[in-house]
Amino acid sequence: MTMTEYEAVIGLETHIQLNTQTKIFCSCKADSWNDAPNSNICPVCCGLPGVLPVLNKAAVEKGVLLATAMHGQIRPLSFFDRKNYFYPDLPKGYQISQFDQSLSSGGYLDLPVPASASPDGQAYVRRVSITKLHLEEDAGKTKNAGGQRFVDFNRCGVPLVEMVTGPDLRTADEAAQYLTRLRQLLRWLGISEADMERGNLRCDANVSIRRKGETHLNPKTEIKNVNSIENVRAAIEHEIERQIREVEAGNRIFAWTLEWDEDAAVLRKMRSKETEADYRYFREPDLLPIRLDDAWKTAILAGFPELPLERRARFIREYGLPEYDAEILTAERKLSDYFEAAVRAYGGDPKRVSNWLMNDILRMLNDRGLTADQIKLAPAWLAELLKLIDSGTINISTGKSLLQKVEESGLSPAALVEKEGLAKVSDDTAIRAVAQEVLAENPKEVEAFKGGKDTLMGWFVGQVMRKMRGKADPNIARQMLEELLK
Amino acid sequence: MELSDLSAHELALYLRQRRISAVEILESCLKRIEAVDGRPGRLDGGPLTVEDEQKVHSFITLTPERARAQAEAVDRKIAAGEDPGPLAGVPFTVKDIFCVEGTPSTAASRILANFTAPYTATPVARMEAAGAVMLGKVNLDEFTYGSSNESSAFQPSPRNPWKLDRVPGGSSGGSTASVAAGEAPLSIGTDTAGSIRQPAAFCGVVGMKPTYGRVSRYGLIAFASSLDCPGPVARNVTDAALMMNTIAGADPHDSTAANVPVPDYLAALEQGIKGLRIGLSPDYFRITYPNLQNGTFETQPLPAEIEASVRRAADLLAAMGAEIVEGVPMPNTRFGIPAYFVISRVEAASNLHRFDGVKYGYRTPEPMNDLRAMYRQSRGQGFGAQPKLRILMGMYVSAAQYSEQYYNRALRVRTLIRQDFDRAFDPQGPYRLNALLTPTTPTTAFKMAALYGDSVLMQYADQLTVPANHAGVPGVSLPAGLDGEGLPIGIQLLGPDYREDVLLRIGRAYEEATETDPWRRVRPQALL
């Protein structure tokens, strides 16, 4: 037996922190990143005696957006339930979650797997089913230090969506692709910061293997505490290899819970999972059911956007962009909006807009740490700039330097060209005079050129351009030089 | 007659007329407490003395300084010509299951004995905002788990002011005892299966369980969240109405508090009952309980005196123009207690999870290396027998392998009980009742220690009250005379959702009809 005779069966359980202003059941600030322990807490999220939860509707609305994007069936009536267990970071001794009648049922993501992530080098699409999508509150955090155990309740009551896939993924690369697409989608919808390093997107991976062609599920292990997409990929890869080694050696796979040690790049066994815990779920009597009537649902979905994969396909179809361009331009929603607005304002070749975006605008955004909607160089001005080049008013190098100037001054490209006299000089006599000057100043080069060193023509053009501070039309300069050197 | 014996609405009136001051009212109540209450309940309260047996012991925590500051504030407002609020200067006690900022909020349990609440429960906050003066926190069964008040970890537990060797009932026994003994004209209690109405009946006072959701539960340390209702305890119907005006209504802190307009309960009080349809049900004139030897159910008629009180009330109400409808079937009444046993315990066990010794409350003093051991020791030492029993049963019947046959089945029974009420109150149905008139309890107050320890029999004290909790409908218990031993008898009115106004109106009519009854002038033993 070799590795190629096995396939992996992978399911991902994700916890998505919704980026609401306040927590799901009280008015404490939801995001506590970098805040001192226990500084965003109140009697409600600390589970003091007598307190009651009050649902933050924004959490429901963000959940509905995600469920819709995943093609889930939104339930018009869903319920909260108590998941009972003891842990010091769970102040009520139960987590308010959803069980059998959650916000949404079913759903899927059609995951494009690029050639680079494909075992046989051929791109393909994997349909990943969603088996669970529900709202719940986060628990707090505990840590051990100096022989004591500390609890931080800041995270208690932060709104989460738990979303679980079916056992549909087959490679570590697919798992990484799924998380990349999920992260893109969450940011696209504006419902989560989706930063794995900050824990607002968390992932546990369930991994088992089987011989190719088999359809049953073998015992699986669960990998926890992985805090980046690359580490999820690496951890799953290690685990697949381990399971194959075990099976090849005639051993059984046990349902362990494993922890990824990032520094050592190894999996460690956290615990055996012999029996399923009994959480004694029952309906949360302190909350009313969520009634998503048509009016509310319509209001939530009123501005529902075209999703990234759809937009990517449309950019290829409608604008004739290469897949590579479409991928980069739809990586982020505001960038793709920028692209379309610029294309519309420009009216010319969309690929030209794409080139400028991918080469220049993206660099500017990265350098300045801005998103596409935050720069002064609005799509209409990029279009104007391109039109100035097309009409021959400015040359390309002027155009490139204009990008920075527009961004810094807040003036339109046309206004800057006017103000700084950047328009290309197309006056033959002015260029002829400068060309004569250049030739007169460089007799050695003239001689070399006449002696057959044709490549010097470019250098002469460059000299003319330099003297005219880039404003000369390089085609006319070349014409003049050729005439004078005949 | 002393100020402490006056009703809340009289006190509020005299205060506004500047005939008395809030501080004078307070002093009168404190004097009464001093005279009749004896030592407050406390942990490891020691053996009962002969003197203890002559006292009421309503309180766990008396807060006279806080009360004096509030009373003085009321007097200042009146002096300044400001509106001091509808309950200005009226003293009240609070069942110690409500959180009140800065006061111990113990739930009568060792596990919360050292817990001082950092916030105030909505109903208490509304009372104080209306100018009422809180005297302190009164005793109850531990976490409200009981019908006699004896399970409190804070001993001595309250005694019935009418006969001091009797229980006051429970779990709001401290509330009803304090009101019956004239320590305060009002108290706020909670009712999960009858915990306001049953002790109100035992202590000869008015106790109302409002519609579920009518009064906010925010700040009420939960027993069974889907059944718990805060409500008023008073010496007469008008005072209960006055208090309902203050505590009822939606609350942004409780999403189960209904967003239903609250009527002025006083306005309709004297409108009479002409044309109201009041039902009597044979299912409320008997109790059914399990024979633990052979597992069968046995049925017993109620004591004749109790049934007679209800029938007499029906006659009096009929004479005032109500239409009495006999023979209303309420067939699922007898399943109320078994269903309650399951539902309340599942919710209770879950609600008690938070008391783990980690954040607040009791933690075992012994050093523990293991987290689980710390939980076990803290909870084992902190909880009394009643919480432990409820946790055991609640965990059992909600376990994955049993929840279908117990918990989910109990929920279906609950729906059936609700349907009994729906049919009786349906305006298009065969009965079209405005209210159902029943006894409140199957017995009058029993002797201390007579039932304690038999949690099954104890629970059957609630058989006639618990259906209203299952169904969510409002109910009120009214004093209706004394039995042969001089113990109060209570009658109960049950009504459709949010029709507390109708129940209070009928209650007021009954008060008028019995105004001259000799028993109305009998004073409780504690006041003799």
Side-chain angles (χ1 to χ4, degrees):
Chain A
M1 285 280 175
T2 61
M3 281 191 61
T4 53
E5 286 169 62
Y6 292 93
E7 71 174 0
V9 180
I10 304 160
L12 298 181
E13 185 179 322
T14 48
H15 284 89
I16 297 151
Q17 180 178 329
L18 301 175
N19 57 359
T20 51
Q21 286 294 306
T22 56
K23 294 184 179 182
I24 187 166
F25 298 127
C26 64
S27 53
C28 289
K29 186 162 72 96
D31 184 33
S32 292
W33 184 252
N34 279 342
D35 288 348
N38 297 311
S39 58
N40 287 325
I41 58 171
C42 75
V44 175
C45 53
C46 289
L48 256 55
V51 298
L52 297 170
V54 176
L55 178 61
N56 177 355
K57 288 194 165 164
V60 176
E61 291 168 356
K62 287 173 190 276
V64 168
L65 290 175
L66 178 58
T68 305
M70 302 306 291
H71 314 96
Q73 294 285 311
I74 311 274
R75 287 194 173 89
L77 189 65
S78 67
F79 294 87
F80 283 102
D81 300 270
R82 288 189 187 177
K83 180 180 181 180
N84 295 284
Y85 66 94
F86 284 95
Y87 205 70
D89 67 8
L90 189 73
K92 296 189 295 296
Y94 55 83
Q95 179 189 31
I96 303 179
S97 182
Q98 296 191 291
F99 185 49
D100 56 330
Q101 300 290 314
S102 70
L103 192 64
S104 163
S105 72
Y108 62 90
L109 178 73
D110 278 332
L111 180 70
V113 183
S116 59
S118 165
D120 60 3
Q122 295 287 308
Y124 61 95
V125 172
R126 171 76 68 203
R127 175 160 289 201
V128 185
S129 65
I130 301 302
T131 58
K132 193 150 99 174
L133 194 160
H134 69 240
L135 289 169
E136 62 184 26
E137 60 176 340
D138 207 347
K141 282 191 260 192
T142 67
K143 71 168 185 188
N144 293 309
Q148 282 181 295
R149 193 150 190 192
F150 294 89
V151 193
D152 177 6
F153 290 130
N154 276 351
R155 221 175 58 183
C156 287
V158 167
L160 298 180
V161 167
E162 180 176 321
M163 191 165 82
V164 182
T165 75
D168 300 330
L169 298 157
R170 292 289 171 269
T171 67
D173 280 323
E174 286 184 12
Q177 284 294 318
Y178 174 81
L179 289 174
T180 307
R181 290 299 176 190
L182 176 60
R183 182 178 63 185
Q184 175 190 31
L185 179 69
L186 295 170
R187 291 174 178 168
W188 191 275
L189 294 170
I191 60 177
S192 172
E193 302 312 309
D195 191 337
M196 279 192 82
E197 285 76 6
R198 287 192 178 198
N200 33 49
L201 175 59
R202 286 168 240 162
C203 177
D204 300 333
N206 290 303
V207 181
S208 64
I209 57 163
R210 63 187 173 199
R211 298 239 162 88
K212 276 187 182 153
E214 288 177 345
T215 52
H216 67 274
L217 294 174
N218 286 317
K220 64 179 196 291
T221 55
E222 186 179 1
I223 306 172
K224 285 188 171 297
N225 294 346
V226 200
N227 66 354
S228 74
I229 294 177
E230 178 45 35
N231 282 333
V232 171
R233 203 196 56 74
I236 292 174
E237 203 144 78
H238 275 72
E239 177 56 10
I240 294 170
E241 286 165 15
R242 184 191 71 86
Q243 289 192 12
I244 290 173
R245 274 200 311 276
E246 295 283 355
V247 171
E248 286 287 289
N251 297 326
R252 273 177 61 199
I253 302 297
F254 294 97
W256 290 343
T257 300
L258 305 166
E259 189 179 28
W260 175 246
D261 181 333
E262 191 184 334
D263 298 324
V266 291
L267 287 160
R268 299 186 198 288
K269 182 178 161 190
M270 284 171 79
R271 56 179 177 266
S272 319
K273 223 176 183 180
E274 249 82 83
T275 51
E276 287 288 306
D278 184 355
Y279 293 113
R280 294 181 159 80
Y281 282 99
F282 70 95
R283 292 272 183 265
E284 168 56 275
D286 290 335
L287 286 166
L288 302 177
I290 304 173
R291 280 174 208 282
L292 265 163
D293 56 27
D294 287 341
W296 192 17
K297 208 169 130 182
T298 307
I300 296 168
L301 298 178
F304 193 78
E306 182 183 30
L307 296 176
L309 290 173
E310 295 165 4
R311 184 166 285 188
R312 177 175 173 274
R314 184 169 60 79
F315 278 11
I316 295 169
R317 198 173 63 238
E318 211 167 280
Y319 301 125
L321 292 185
E323 207 170 283
Y324 177 78
D325 291 36
E327 179 66 47
I328 290 175
L329 292 177
T330 57
E332 199 260 321
R333 185 171 161 190
K334 281 164 183 157
L335 183 67
S336 70
D337 288 342
Y338 187 106
F339 170 74
E340 286 217 279
V343 167
R344 228 173 290 126
Y346 176 49
D349 180 9
K351 174 61 178 152
R352 212 157 127 68
V353 179
S354 168
N355 289 344
W356 278 72
L357 270 178
M358 296 205 302
N359 293 326
D360 303 282
I361 309 282
L362 267 182
R363 188 178 321 121
M364 184 189 288
L365 292 175
N366 288 338
D367 289 350
R368 291 168 193 250
L370 297 174
T371 52
D373 59 325
Q374 290 171 321
I375 52 171
K376 296 198 188 101
L377 180 73
W381 286 1
L382 177 64
E384 183 180 301
L385 192 148
L386 293 178
K387 284 185 200 162
L388 286 170
I389 295 171
D390 291 353
S391 66
T393 310
I394 56 172
N395 60 36
I396 287 186
S397 66
T398 306
K400 299 247 160 162
S401 65
L402 260 181
L403 293 173
Q404 296 294 334
K405 289 182 179 164
V406 170
E407 188 57 26
E408 275 151 26
S409 67
L411 294 172
S412 74
L416 275 169
V417 167
E418 174 73 31
K419 190 179 158 213
E420 300 196 5
L422 298 174
K424 215 158 54 173
V425 177
S426 324
D427 177 349
D428 293 7
T429 43
I431 296 173
R432 180 183 288 269
V434 175
Q436 279 171 335
E437 245 179 77
V438 166
L439 296 181
E441 284 167 11
N442 299 291
K444 269 192 226 155
E445 280 77 9
V446 170
E447 209 159 307
F449 180 80
K450 288 188 170 162
K453 203 170 175 195
D454 293 351
T455 49
L456 274 169
M457 177 52 79
W459 184 81
F460 288 128
V461 173
Q463 292 304 305
V464 174
M465 297 301 284
R466 219 177 74 188
K467 279 194 176 260
M468 299 189 77
R469 301 208 330 275
K471 286 188 288 178
D473 184 322
N475 292 327
I476 297 174
R478 180 179 295 269
Q479 255 178 32
M480 293 301 152
L481 285 163
E482 279 169 358
E483 271 180 43
L484 291 167
L485 286 167
K486 246 178 217 161
Chain B
M1 182 169 270
E2 295 162 51
L3 288 181
S4 56
D5 291 314
L6 293 182
S7 66
H9 64 276
E10 286 169 316
L11 291 172
L13 178 69
Y14 297 161
L15 189 87
R16 281 164 177 279
Q17 294 170 337
R18 305 198 186 195
R19 290 163 61 184
I20 52 173
S21 73
V23 170
E24 283 169 349
I25 301 171
L26 172 63
E27 295 305 336
S28 174
C29 287
L30 291 175
K31 204 174 120 197
R32 173 64 56 81
I33 293 165
E34 173 72 31
V36 305
D37 208 56
R39 61 186 173 115
R42 60 167 193 262
L43 292 182
D44 309 312
L48 280 186
T49 64
V50 177
E51 199 207 332
D52 286 337
E53 290 173 0
Q54 303 307 309
K55 300 291 184 185
V56 178
H57 308 288
S58 303
F59 281 85
I60 289 179
T61 308
L62 187 66
T63 53
E65 281 73 32
R66 180 191 168 103
R68 204 164 275 121
Q70 287 178 337
E72 285 166 357
V74 167
D75 285 337
R76 274 198 303 277
K77 274 192 178 172
I78 290 172
E82 293 167 34
D83 179 4
L87 284 173
V90 176
F92 72 109
T93 62
V94 174
K95 185 179 186 179
D96 203 12
I97 197 73
F98 290 96
C99 288
V100 176
E101 186 177 353
T103 69
S105 299
T106 70
S109 179
R110 183 181 297 275
I111 211 159
L112 276 180
N114 64 3
F115 176 68
T116 299
Y119 74 103
T120 298
T122 298
V124 179
R126 286 184 178 170
M127 290 292 284
E128 294 195 327
V133 173
M134 187 186 88
L135 297 176
K137 310 291 283 295
V138 288
N139 217 329
L140 61 148
D141 282 291
E142 184 175 359
F143 279 106
T144 80
Y145 305 157
S147 306
S148 72
N149 235 291
E150 293 159 289
S151 69
S152 174
F154 290 73
Q155 295 288 339
S157 67
R159 305 174 87 83
N160 193 317
W162 287 87
K163 230 171 183 266
L164 290 158
D165 64 345
R166 304 293 169 131
V167 300
S171 62
S172 307
S175 289
T176 57
S178 68
V179 171
E183 297 175 340
L186 298 175
S187 184
I188 177 153
T190 63
D191 191 313
T192 307
S195 273
I196 289 174
R197 291 162 289 160
Q198 184 257 19
F202 279 15
C203 290
V205 295
V206 174
M208 169 165 262
K209 175 205 109 67
T211 312
Y212 183 82
R214 186 50 119 177
V215 178
S216 168
R217 293 183 293 121
Y218 186 71
L220 153 63
I221 300 172
F223 167 9
S225 313
S226 73
L227 300 160
D228 293 344
C229 294
V233 175
R235 280 195 293 269
N236 59 63
V237 172
T238 309
D239 283 5
L242 185 64
M243 189 162 155
M244 279 298 290
N245 273 355
T246 298
I247 62 174
D251 176 10
H253 292 298
D254 178 1
S255 45
T256 65
N259 204 357
V260 175
V262 179
D264 181 349
Y265 293 108
L266 284 173
L269 214 48
E270 311 285 345
Q271 280 176 3
I273 54 169
K274 217 170 164 42
L276 291 184
R277 291 172 62 84
I278 299 173
L280 297 172
S281 170
D283 297 305
Y284 275 85
F285 288 118
R286 56 180 173 235
I287 62 162
T288 309
Y289 58 95
N291 180 324
L292 295 181
Q293 264 67 51
N294 58 23
T296 60
F297 277 82
E298 292 183 3
T299 296
Q300 222 175 30
L302 296 189
E305 284 170 302
I306 290 179
E307 180 161 350
S309 300
V310 177
R311 300 233 173 248
R312 174 166 179 259
D315 293 343
L316 291 171
L317 295 171
M320 296 177 90
E323 209 176 315
I324 302 300
V325 182
E326 296 263 4
V328 179
M330 302 291 284
N332 294 295
T333 304
R334 63 201 178 110
F335 301 126
I337 290 297
Y340 172 78
F341 249 90
V342 173
I343 293 167
S344 69
R345 278 144 180 80
V346 169
E347 294 184 17
S350 174
N351 284 330
L352 290 176
H353 285 343
R354 71 188 65 200
F355 306 109
D356 56 6
V358 172
K359 309 164 290 281
Y360 48 74
Y362 180 86
R363 182 189 296 179
T364 179
E366 299 145 38
M368 290 286 146
N369 279 324
D370 174 63
L371 179 68
R372 299 274 140 189
M374 188 188 89
Y375 285 156
R376 270 196 300 275
Q377 288 296 314
S378 299
R379 289 166 66 84
Q381 295 162 6
F383 284 132
Q386 296 306 320
K388 284 176 185 164
L389 283 168
R390 277 156 181 80
I391 291 167
L392 284 172
M393 184 162 163
M395 296 297 272
Y396 182 84
V397 297
S398 60
Q401 67 270 39
Y402 300 122
S403 67
E404 184 52 38
Q405 81 193 80
Y406 290 113
Y407 184 63
N408 293 338
R409 191 165 171 213
L411 291 179
R412 290 194 290 276
V413 171
R414 188 173 179 179
T415 304
L416 293 176
I417 293 170
R418 169 77 199 189
Q419 285 169 0
D420 284 355
F421 286 99
D422 285 342
R423 199 176 327 106
F425 297 138
D426 181 355
Q428 269 80 51
Y431 304 105
R432 303 182 304 284
L433 300 185
N434 297 103
L436 190 68
L437 173 64
T438 79
T440 308
T441 53
T443 66
T444 52
F446 41 87
K447 281 209 163 108
M448 298 203 61
L451 283 189
Y452 191 63
D454 186 338
S455 56
V456 174
L457 262 190
M458 181 74 87
Q459 198 84 79
Y460 276 79
D462 296 331
Q463 183 159 71
L464 306 179
T465 45
V466 74
N469 298 81
H470 281 305
V473 299
V476 64
S477 178
L478 306 166
L482 303 171
D483 72 1
E485 296 183 274
L487 288 165
I489 294 171
I491 58 171
Q492 176 177 237
L493 290 161
L494 303 173
D497 294 341
Y498 306 112
R499 293 320 300 266
E500 292 86 353
D501 58 337
V502 173
L503 301 186
L504 292 167
R505 229 165 92 198
I506 300 169
R508 179 67 195 118
Y510 175 76
E511 271 181 357
E512 280 176 43
T514 54
E515 212 167 76
T516 56
D517 281 11
W519 62 268
R520 289 251 178 222
R521 284 181 298 282
V522 180
R523 302 263 285 171
Q525 182 195 359
L527 301 184
L528 298 179

